[in-house]
Amino acid sequence: MSDAFAPSAKPWQVSIEPNISSGYFEAERSRLFKHVWFQLGRVEVIPNPGDYFVRQIDVLGASVIVSRGRDGVLRAFHNICRHRGNRVVKQAAGSAKAFSCGFHGWTYNSEGALVNIPLEQEFRGCDKADLSLIPLAIEVWEGFIFVHLNIEPEESLRDYLQPVAGLLDGFPFAEMELSGWWSARLASNWKTFQDAFIEAYHVLAVHRRSIPDFRSDPIVPTAQSLGRHCKLTYYQNLHHEPKPAEAMAFELSSLAFLNAGDANELKTRRWASLNFERRDNWVFDEFVIFPNFHLFLGDGWMLCHEFWPVDVDHTDWHVKYYQQRTTSPTVRIAQEYSKVAMRDAIREDLSTIESTHAAQRSGAMPFMTLSPSLDALIIHHHGVVAEYVGARLTGIEP
Amino acid sequence: MSETEQIEELPENFKELERFVSAWSLASEQERNRKRRSSSMHEIRRFYDAMLQRMPEVSKHLNGFNLQELPQRECRLLNLAFSFMEIASAVEVYSSPDVPDAIEAERLTILTP
Ligand code: FES
Ligand SMILES: [Fe+2]
C-alpha cells in the first residue's frame, strides 16, 4: 500500500461499503480476525503466579483467560469448560490457585490442566490429561501480551510485528505506569472509529478549543507504512503560548504531555527509536499495530488504544494512558495536567464518530474522498483490511 | 477540635485553602471530574483563583515528600492540586465547566484505578 504515501498521488475515493456492510464484516471476521495477533494488555497486570484476567473478544465470540502459572509462565486459554462448555471463570480478573467450573465443578489449575472431576468414576476411560483448557498462542513483546486464536500461528509475533518490533527497542516501557483508563461503546464501525485517531487533519476543527494555535510544521505529519502496520509522526507549534496551568505543569516537569522537552536532550535519550527525523517540534509518534491496537509514544508517556469490533455497527474501545513512574508529588501534579488534557481532547475526538457512522450508514454517499497525504493512514489501513478480506480498495484514484 | 476540622486540615502554611477541602480534595479522577462537571463556573473560578496563587508554594511544599509516603495533610493538599489541574481548562480554555461539543461525559467511562 506504499503508493498511498507517494507525494504525487491523487486523492482516493474509498468505498463506504466496507464500513456498513454486514457481509463485509462477516468476511473480516473469518478472513482477518481469526488470523491476526491481538494485544490484550500489559504483563504488569498479572505479576504473580495464579494471577489472571479474562477478556471477551466479541468479534471471535471468544472469552479468553490469560493466566500466570505456578511456574511463572503466561498462558492463554479459551474460557470453556471441557465438560459441557460452560464459562469456567466469571470474574474479570483475580488471583486463584485453581479455576473451578460453577456448573458441575470440574477444576483446572493455573496452567490449564484438568485436575479434578467430581464423581470421576462415572467418566471411566476419560483421560484428564486430554481435557485441559483449550490453549491459544500467546507471546509477549515489550511487556504487551498478544494472543492468536491459532495455537500454531502462521507467523510468530515477532514476524507479525515486523518492521515495528525492532524500531522500539529501547523505549522505557517498563518505566511506564497506568495513570488513566477510559472506555466507551460507540455505535460505529470499528474502522470508522479508528480513522478518527490516525490523522492530524481534524485537529484544526475538532480541537479548535483545546488546541487553538495548532500549527504543524511540516503541515502534513509524516506518515509511514510499515508492512501491514503504519506510523504517524506529529509536530507541534513551538510558539504555542501556554495557559497558566499548562505553563506550571511544564515548569514542574518536562514530562507533561505536549512538551517535547529540550530537543538536544531528546537526541541523546536512550529511546532513540522515537522522533526518527529529529525535528525540534516533534511531539509524538503513533504506531498503528494491525488490526486494532494504536500505540502513541511520547517523552515520558504512552497511550494505548484498543478498538474491539462488536458487530458491523458497534465498537468497544479502551484507551489507557501511561506515564513515567515517579515518587515525586510535584511530577505527579504535572502529569495530572497532561492526563486531563488528554482525556478532554479524546472526548472531543469521540464527538464525531457516531454521527459519521450514522451518515455513512444511510447509504446516500458512495465513497469518501481521501487526501493521499492527510488521510494517508486511513487509506493504508482500509487497504490492508481489504487485502485480508480478499477485496480491493474500491474506487481507487478517481 | 471537632472531627470535621481534622478531616479538612491542611499543612500549616495552607490554612486559607482548607475551606475548599471538603468539596475539592477528592481522591479519584472520577470524583474530581464529576465535581468539575457539576459545579458552576462561579464556584470553579473561586477555587481556581485561590489555587493559582498558591500552586508554586504547594509544589514546593510537596516536593520534600515521597508520593508513596505522604502524610494525611499533604495527601489532601495533593488532591487539591489534582483538582486544580482538573478544572484549569474549564477556566483557561473552555469557559465552561465541561468540554463543549464533546461526547457526553456519561458516555465515557473513567476506569482509572
Ligand atoms: S460444564 Fe463445567 S463442569 Fe459441567
Ligand atoms: Fe484528536
Side-chain angles (χ1 to χ4, degrees), chain A residues 178-187 208-210 212 243-246 248-249 252 317-318 326-330 332-334 336-337 339-341 343-348 350-351 354, chain B residues 29 32-33 36-37 48 52 55-56 58-60 62-63 65-68 70 78 81-82 84-86 88-89 92-94 98-105 107-113:
Chain A
L178 181 67
S179 68
W181 178 2
W182 312 298
S183 135
R185 172 174 290 203
L186 295 196
R208 63 192 177 280
R209 288 192 170 88
S210 52
K243 298 285 197 310
E246 186 183 4
M248 205 174 279
L252 296 179
W317 159 87
H318 280 262
T326 181
T327 55
S328 156
T330 313
R332 269 293 291 120
I333 293 170
E336 189 68 13
Y337 165 81
K339 180 179 75 176
V340 170
R343 190 198 61 223
D344 288 352
I346 284 176
R347 275 189 51 214
E348 292 176 330
L350 294 187
S351 70
E354 288 187 330
Chain B
E29 179 193 342
R32 293 190 291 269
N33 183 249
R36 162 182 167 183
R37 289 186 285 107
Y48 174 89
L52 185 65
M55 277 303 285
V58 169
S59 56
K60 200 187 244 167
L62 291 174
N63 212 7
F65 293 87
N66 182 315
L67 196 53
Q68 273 75 46
L70 276 188
L78 179 68
F82 286 164
F84 170 75
M85 288 307 186
E86 174 71 52
S89 63
E92 298 174 354
V93 180
Y94 300 118
D98 199 10
V99 187
D101 300 326
I103 197 165
E104 301 86 316
R107 298 288 309 279
L108 186 93
T109 309
I110 298 179
L111 295 165
T112 304

Side-chain angles (χ1 to χ4, degrees), chain A residues 175-210:
Chain A
E175 292 171 26
M176 297 291 140
E177 186 170 51
L178 181 67
S179 68
W181 178 2
W182 312 298
S183 135
R185 172 174 290 203
L186 295 196
S188 168
N189 185 263
W190 65 286
K191 299 185 294 299
T192 305
F193 202 149
Q194 279 180 288
D195 291 350
F197 291 95
I198 52 179
E199 45 89 354
Y201 189 27
H202 73 277
V203 177
L204 292 165
V206 167
H207 302 307
R208 63 192 177 280
R209 288 192 170 88
S210 52

